[in-house]
Amino acid sequence: MAPSFTFYSPWVSLFEMFLCLFSMFAMDWITALITFVITAILYLYIYYRKPDANWGSSAQAQVFVNAVKSVQSLSETKDHVKNYRPKILVLTGSPASRPPLVYFANLLTKKLSLLICGHVVMPPGSVHLLTLKESTQLLLEDRKIQSFYTVNESKSFEKGAKTCLTSAGLGKLAPNMLLMGFKADWADDLVLAQQYFSVLQAAFDQNFSLGVLRVRSGLD
């Protein structure tokens, strides 16, 4: 794809290319010749081997740069009424297992704010995290849920959920609200119920808003 500069001309670019080649040979023809040979070898290697690589585009690279600059600029902006948004961390576990919780959180953010689905994997090492991240993010995109997905491994739900609270987000793009499902089976496992309430308390300690969703059929 050709550059989209206002005054871009392919003929001027072609002229400048030949000018650069002339300058290379004029300064040191031996070094220029070696450079051409190395470039030709690399080109032929890539052409015939056809490595499975995604080279992307310069436009996509610029999107990344702009995003980083925007986050840094946002971090320098003071909080006020007009830039307040409910930035939600929703502890879904696997988003595929609790769709009502994911859809409800998506309705709250309305694709205009930050939504992060948090997942605590127990015990550590039970799943391949990279594969899990990629498949879950594809699932969210397929269901048109504008959300990020974060996962961590822990020996207990309490420690993993507190890790999500403290590490999710980046700068001002960090959650200010925790959303969880109602634990209907609290009487079946009092230890896990205690961990559940400990996470709620940790959210209050970090000045998070808190939401608990309860549905008729339950979430678990």
Side-chain angles (χ1 to χ4, degrees):
M1 184 177 66
S4 57
F5 304 121
T6 304
F7 301 106
Y8 170 76
S9 170
W11 300 109
V12 174
S13 297
L14 182 63
F15 172 75
E16 290 178 349
M17 182 195 74
F18 284 112
L19 189 62
C20 288
L21 293 177
F22 174 78
S23 301
M24 288 174 60
F25 281 94
M27 288 186 292
D28 190 342
W29 69 271
I30 297 178
T31 303
L33 187 61
I34 293 174
T35 303
F36 266 88
V37 171
I38 294 175
T39 303
I41 292 174
L42 291 174
Y43 173 80
L44 292 173
Y45 173 80
I46 294 174
Y47 180 79
Y48 286 105
R49 290 298 298 270
K50 291 182 173 59
D52 185 16
N54 181 11
W55 301 106
S57 68
S58 58
Q60 292 172 335
Q62 189 61 38
V63 169
F64 175 82
V65 174
N66 291 339
V68 173
K69 289 182 178 180
S70 296
V71 172
Q72 291 174 337
S73 176
L74 183 63
S75 298
E76 300 170 358
T77 304
K78 293 183 178 180
D79 293 329
H80 52 78
V81 174
K82 292 184 179 179
N83 65 9
Y84 172 81
R85 298 290 187 278
K87 295 169 286 188
I88 300 176
L89 168 65
V90 51
L91 295 181
T92 58
S94 174
S97 64
R98 297 178 179 86
L101 197 55
V102 178
Y103 288 134
F104 180 68
N106 189 53
L107 286 174
L108 292 178
T109 57
K110 294 184 178 180
K111 299 183 180 181
L112 297 175
S113 185
L114 177 68
L115 176 59
I116 301 176
C117 293
H119 185 184
V120 180
V121 173
M122 300 179 294
S126 58
V127 296
H128 189 265
L129 293 185
L130 181 58
T131 303
L132 179 63
K133 287 179 180 179
E134 292 177 351
S135 60
T136 304
Q137 197 66 51
L138 288 174
L139 173 69
L140 293 171
E141 292 175 4
D142 182 63
R143 297 186 178 182
K144 303 188 185 311
I145 303 294
Q146 189 170 316
S147 171
F148 297 99
Y149 173 71
T150 181
V151 58
N152 68 78
E153 296 179 313
S154 180
K155 294 181 179 180
S156 70
F157 169 74
E158 178 183 355
K159 292 181 179 179
K162 288 181 178 179
T163 299
C164 288
L165 283 172
T166 55
S167 62
L170 180 65
K172 288 290 182 69
L173 282 179
N176 55 17
M177 177 179 179
L178 174 66
L179 178 62
M180 298 177 65
F182 179 79
K183 187 167 180 57
D185 60 346
W186 62 270
D188 299 334
D189 190 339
L190 295 180
V191 174
L192 193 56
Q194 184 178 5
Q195 293 183 16
Y196 177 89
F197 284 104
S198 178
V199 173
L200 300 182
Q201 184 61 52
F204 284 127
D205 291 340
Q206 297 183 40
N207 293 325
F208 273 62
S209 302
L210 179 64
V212 177
L213 175 66
R214 183 176 186 180
V215 296
R216 185 182 300 273
S217 58
L219 292 171
D220 290 311

